[in-house]
Every structure is written in structure tokens, then in C-alpha cells.
Amino acid sequence: MSEGTESESRKLLGRLRDTLADDSAGQTRLDRITNLIADSMHTEVCSIYLFRDTETLELCATEGLKPEAVHQTRMRIGEGLVGRVARSGVPVNTANAPQARGFRFMPETGEEIF
């Protein structure tokens, strides 16, 4: 890891630590975390899905998708790329998400069709 990358990672970890230690409401912290990660990684979209129950994931925070999709968008474990990662614990790294095995388009989130 280059020195610049390590320094940026340390900065992000410090910002995340400060956000988690803040006494603001849970949703505010989740929103701030998605913003920090998207900004740090220079991405247009960053989303956090949490387990609603043992078989269901719920979109709980997002930077870049429609805010009204938060707490409305759900998927089963194994469904879509997020559900696939939740089931296997293995990240998906692809240049073409819609072509990846298991991709699921969710129009309510405002995500782009590639």
C-alpha cells in the first residue's frame, strides 16, 4: 500500500470513528458514514444494507441513490449482487455489474441502467 493510500485510509478510519462516537441519531450516523466512504473512494454511489431479519436485507442509507428508497428497498439473502455478497462473504469486483451473475435492477432506487 502506498504511503498516500495509507494516509487516506487512516483519515477515513478516524472520520468513521468520530462519526460512530457521535451522539447523533442512528440514521444520521449511517447517512454520514455513506457520505464519508463515497467521498473517500471518489464514487457516486455508496449504500449500506443491513439485515432486517435473518433472510432479508434493507437499504438503510445511501449516497447517490434516491433517498426515498431508504427503508423501502429490500432483498433476500442471495438476491442481487448485495445479497450474493451477504450470503457468501466474498466481494464482487466487476467492471460491468449488470452482466455479473445475480445482478438485480431495482428501479425504485434510481440506479442507472448501463
Short mmCIF file of all heavy atoms in Angstrom, two decimals, residues 41 80-95 97 100-101:
data_model
loop_
_atom_site.label_atom_id
_atom_site.label_comp_id
_atom_site.label_asym_id
_atom_site.label_seq_id
_atom_site.Cartn_x
_atom_site.Cartn_y
_atom_site.Cartn_z
N MET A 41 -13.70 7.24 -1.43
CA MET A 41 -13.44 6.34 -2.55
C MET A 41 -13.70 7.00 -3.91
O MET A 41 -13.53 6.38 -4.95
CB MET A 41 -14.30 5.08 -2.42
CG MET A 41 -13.94 4.26 -1.19
SD MET A 41 -14.93 2.77 -1.04
CE MET A 41 -14.25 1.81 -2.39
N GLY A 80 -29.58 -10.50 -5.97
CA GLY A 80 -28.80 -9.34 -6.40
C GLY A 80 -27.35 -9.47 -5.97
O GLY A 80 -26.97 -10.42 -5.28
N LEU A 81 -26.54 -8.53 -6.36
CA LEU A 81 -25.12 -8.58 -6.01
C LEU A 81 -24.91 -8.37 -4.52
O LEU A 81 -24.08 -9.05 -3.90
CB LEU A 81 -24.32 -7.55 -6.81
CG LEU A 81 -24.36 -7.73 -8.34
CD1 LEU A 81 -23.52 -6.66 -9.01
CD2 LEU A 81 -23.91 -9.11 -8.74
N VAL A 82 -25.68 -7.47 -3.91
CA VAL A 82 -25.56 -7.24 -2.47
C VAL A 82 -25.95 -8.49 -1.70
O VAL A 82 -25.26 -8.90 -0.77
CB VAL A 82 -26.42 -6.02 -2.04
CG1 VAL A 82 -26.46 -5.89 -0.54
CG2 VAL A 82 -25.89 -4.75 -2.69
N GLY A 83 -27.04 -9.11 -2.09
CA GLY A 83 -27.48 -10.33 -1.43
C GLY A 83 -26.51 -11.47 -1.61
O GLY A 83 -26.32 -12.31 -0.72
N ARG A 84 -25.87 -11.51 -2.79
CA ARG A 84 -24.85 -12.53 -3.06
C ARG A 84 -23.65 -12.35 -2.13
O ARG A 84 -23.15 -13.32 -1.54
CB ARG A 84 -24.41 -12.41 -4.53
CG ARG A 84 -23.40 -13.43 -4.97
CD ARG A 84 -23.17 -13.28 -6.46
NE ARG A 84 -21.76 -13.33 -6.75
CZ ARG A 84 -21.23 -12.92 -7.87
NH1 ARG A 84 -21.97 -12.38 -8.83
NH2 ARG A 84 -19.94 -13.01 -8.07
N VAL A 85 -23.22 -11.12 -1.95
CA VAL A 85 -22.10 -10.84 -1.05
C VAL A 85 -22.49 -11.16 0.40
O VAL A 85 -21.71 -11.75 1.14
CB VAL A 85 -21.63 -9.37 -1.19
CG1 VAL A 85 -20.63 -9.00 -0.10
CG2 VAL A 85 -21.03 -9.14 -2.57
N ALA A 86 -23.72 -10.80 0.78
CA ALA A 86 -24.18 -11.09 2.14
C ALA A 86 -24.19 -12.60 2.41
O ALA A 86 -23.87 -13.03 3.51
CB ALA A 86 -25.58 -10.51 2.36
N ARG A 87 -24.56 -13.38 1.40
CA ARG A 87 -24.60 -14.83 1.59
C ARG A 87 -23.21 -15.45 1.63
O ARG A 87 -22.90 -16.28 2.48
CB ARG A 87 -25.40 -15.50 0.48
CG ARG A 87 -25.28 -17.03 0.54
CD ARG A 87 -26.24 -17.75 -0.34
NE ARG A 87 -27.49 -17.81 0.41
CZ ARG A 87 -28.68 -17.87 -0.15
NH1 ARG A 87 -28.80 -17.90 -1.44
NH2 ARG A 87 -29.76 -17.90 0.59
N SER A 88 -22.34 -15.01 0.73
CA SER A 88 -21.04 -15.68 0.58
C SER A 88 -19.92 -15.02 1.39
O SER A 88 -18.93 -15.68 1.71
CB SER A 88 -20.63 -15.69 -0.89
OG SER A 88 -20.34 -14.37 -1.34
N GLY A 89 -20.06 -13.74 1.67
CA GLY A 89 -18.98 -13.02 2.35
C GLY A 89 -17.81 -12.70 1.43
O GLY A 89 -16.76 -12.27 1.88
N VAL A 90 -18.02 -12.90 0.13
CA VAL A 90 -16.96 -12.66 -0.86
C VAL A 90 -17.34 -11.43 -1.68
O VAL A 90 -18.43 -11.38 -2.26
CB VAL A 90 -16.79 -13.89 -1.79
CG1 VAL A 90 -15.76 -13.62 -2.86
CG2 VAL A 90 -16.45 -15.12 -0.98
N PRO A 91 -16.46 -10.42 -1.75
CA PRO A 91 -16.79 -9.22 -2.52
C PRO A 91 -16.92 -9.51 -4.00
O PRO A 91 -16.32 -10.46 -4.52
CB PRO A 91 -15.60 -8.28 -2.27
CG PRO A 91 -14.61 -9.02 -1.47
CD PRO A 91 -15.15 -10.35 -1.13
N VAL A 92 -17.72 -8.69 -4.67
CA VAL A 92 -17.87 -8.75 -6.13
C VAL A 92 -17.11 -7.57 -6.70
O VAL A 92 -17.39 -6.43 -6.33
CB VAL A 92 -19.35 -8.70 -6.55
CG1 VAL A 92 -19.48 -8.61 -8.06
CG2 VAL A 92 -20.12 -9.89 -6.00
N ASN A 93 -16.18 -7.83 -7.59
CA ASN A 93 -15.41 -6.78 -8.24
C ASN A 93 -15.60 -6.97 -9.74
O ASN A 93 -15.05 -7.89 -10.33
CB ASN A 93 -13.93 -6.88 -7.86
CG ASN A 93 -13.13 -5.73 -8.43
OD1 ASN A 93 -13.66 -4.84 -9.08
ND2 ASN A 93 -11.83 -5.76 -8.18
N THR A 94 -16.41 -6.10 -10.33
CA THR A 94 -16.72 -6.23 -11.74
C THR A 94 -16.80 -4.86 -12.39
O THR A 94 -17.25 -3.91 -11.77
CB THR A 94 -18.03 -7.00 -11.96
OG1 THR A 94 -18.30 -7.09 -13.36
CG2 THR A 94 -19.21 -6.34 -11.28
N ALA A 95 -16.38 -4.79 -13.62
CA ALA A 95 -16.47 -3.54 -14.38
C ALA A 95 -17.85 -3.37 -15.00
O ALA A 95 -18.20 -2.29 -15.47
CB ALA A 95 -15.40 -3.52 -15.48
N ALA A 97 -21.48 -4.39 -13.74
CA ALA A 97 -22.39 -5.00 -12.76
C ALA A 97 -23.62 -5.67 -13.40
O ALA A 97 -23.98 -6.77 -13.01
CB ALA A 97 -22.81 -3.97 -11.72
N ALA A 100 -22.96 -9.14 -14.38
CA ALA A 100 -22.47 -10.05 -13.35
C ALA A 100 -23.58 -11.02 -12.93
O ALA A 100 -24.76 -10.66 -12.89
CB ALA A 100 -21.97 -9.27 -12.13
N ARG A 101 -23.18 -12.22 -12.61
CA ARG A 101 -24.12 -13.25 -12.16
C ARG A 101 -24.92 -12.74 -10.97
O ARG A 101 -24.38 -12.25 -9.99
CB ARG A 101 -23.35 -14.50 -11.77
CG ARG A 101 -24.20 -15.64 -11.23
CD ARG A 101 -23.38 -16.87 -10.91
NE ARG A 101 -22.23 -16.63 -10.05
CZ ARG A 101 -22.28 -16.65 -8.71
NH1 ARG A 101 -23.41 -16.88 -8.10
NH2 ARG A 101 -21.19 -16.43 -8.01
#
